[in-house]
Amino acid sequence: MNALALGRSNQHWFFKYRLYHIPFWFLYNYLWWAIAVGNPYKAAANIFFTPFSVKFLFYFIFQALAAYFNLYYLIPKYLEKNRLLAYMTFLLLTIVVASFCIIPGYYFSAYLSGKTLNELYGGGSEADCFYKFLNNAFSSTVASMTLAMSIKLTKNWVETRQRQQLLEKEKLETELKFLKYQFNPHFLFNTINSIFFLIHKNPDMASDSLAKFSELLRHQLYECNDQKIPLTKEITYLENFIELEKLRQNNNIEVTFQADFQPDEPLEIAPFILMNFVENAFKHVSKLTDQPNWIRIDLRLDQRNLCFAVSNSTSPSSASDVMHYGGIGIKNVQRRLDLIYPDRHVLSILNRDNRFDVQLQLTLSELEIHHVLETAS
């Protein structure tokens, strides 16, 4: 038994069998009658203590039947399949049939009261009374079916809207996970290549790189499973990555990293947002022998506003590659920023004379309580 069936089986019988429709239709017909009579007390007395209760019962039964026939048969079979002409034809026929079925209620009421139609209802001859009854029944049936359709269509719209929001949320979460895991193999592939290169070049540096790499793996596997993580963990991850790249790079590349923030700032950030830009800088930094090669990374925090800037020197051979934003990594982070921080980020990517600049301004959110507890532990 699935969750939906189990939920329905646990419902109270009054709601399970939709018996709440009975008081709804009773209240609707009573209000209609109270408006027609102009006195709610007199309308209630007529319904419960006079032969008019028979006429009320006919309205109650046949209007409800017509409304449900329209909602659960005509609309699914014709309207939802865009068979408008057939739907309008059968809808009009349903209203007419229901109206004619209501009319005998007037005659039974007159019979039980021992009065003629003219004495009980007024209106002149029997034919005049009939057309008067038909007009009342027709207009009341149209009103009842319009109300029922309005309620049903509104309910369907609300349920459809809720379902769409749920699907959009699930799609967003799926897309974010896909973008995150699409990035992870990309980074791991580059890092493993770096360590493999260092094993042959400098075993001691390879050992240090492997230690840093284990810290990075621990962060990826255990510390960044949530959509957002503490900012301090992301910065620590960033520092480890920079140290790993500095071990791998040649000595003629100057790397500076400045971070101006308080370690106890209770803020959180989506994982891997910042590291993409740093990785891109190391990937496309210039490899010149007659000029300085450099990477500058600056991180500043003003309350909840994070300002992150990454700049690197470029050579003519790497400038065209940089303008493609470094392939998968930068494209992913741009997409993640749009999904996670809509209207809360400003990203600027600029390629100019012998340098490539990335500036990101991000409004962070407060750290959730479970993250605070994890950090404290």
Side-chain angles (χ1 to χ4, degrees), residues 256-297:
T256 59
F257 175 49
Q258 295 182 348
D260 182 11
F261 79 103
Q262 297 296 328
D264 56 349
E265 290 285 353
L267 298 174
E268 60 182 7
I269 189 173
F272 307 122
I273 288 290
L274 304 180
M275 204 279 292
N276 280 272
F277 302 112
V278 177
E279 183 196 20
N280 190 66
F282 279 103
K283 181 178 180 181
H284 296 287
V285 67
S286 60
K287 303 296 191 296
L288 301 174
T289 57
D290 56 342
Q291 297 181 22
N293 307 298
W294 51 268
I295 298 175
R296 300 189 184 107
I297 305 167

Side-chain angles (χ1 to χ4, degrees), residues 173 176-177 180-181 184 217-230 233 271-272 336 370-371 374:
E173 292 176 352
L176 287 173
K177 290 180 181 179
K180 176 181 174 182
Y181 293 127
N184 284 348
L217 284 180
R218 185 174 68 86
H219 177 79
Q220 286 190 344
L221 295 176
Y222 303 110
E223 297 179 354
C224 62
N225 293 324
D226 296 331
Q227 182 174 326
K228 293 182 181 179
I229 63 173
K233 289 188 177 182
F272 307 122
R336 293 182 68 207
H370 69 276
H371 283 149
E374 289 175 0

Side-chain angles (χ1 to χ4, degrees), residues 304-375:
R304 296 189 351 181
N305 298 318
L306 175 68
C307 297
F308 186 68
V310 180
S311 302
N312 63 276
S313 59
T314 60
S315 57
S317 60
S318 62
S320 59
D321 294 334
V322 174
M323 282 308 296
H324 287 89
Y325 304 146
I328 293 177
I330 298 299
K331 291 180 181 178
N332 276 1
V333 75
Q334 287 177 314
R335 179 61 176 155
R336 293 182 68 207
L337 285 170
D338 292 336
L339 291 173
I340 304 176
Y341 297 100
D343 302 323
R344 290 194 292 150
H345 78 278
V346 177
L347 177 62
S348 174
I349 301 177
L350 181 62
N351 184 34
R352 46 189 175 180
D353 296 338
N354 299 325
R355 64 180 295 165
F356 187 75
D357 296 289
V358 175
Q359 291 186 349
L360 173 65
Q361 296 181 8
L362 197 62
T363 302
L364 303 178
S365 56
E366 295 289 338
L367 191 64
E368 295 182 4
I369 184 64
H370 69 276
H371 283 149
V372 175
L373 296 176
E374 289 175 0
T375 304

Side-chain angles (χ1 to χ4, degrees), residues 17 56 71 120 149 161 184 197 229 240 278 295 319 357 360:
Y17 299 103
F56 178 85
L71 295 179
L120 189 61
M149 285 184 63
R161 182 64 179 171
N184 284 348
F197 173 78
I229 63 173
N240 287 335
V278 177
I295 298 175
D357 296 289
L360 173 65

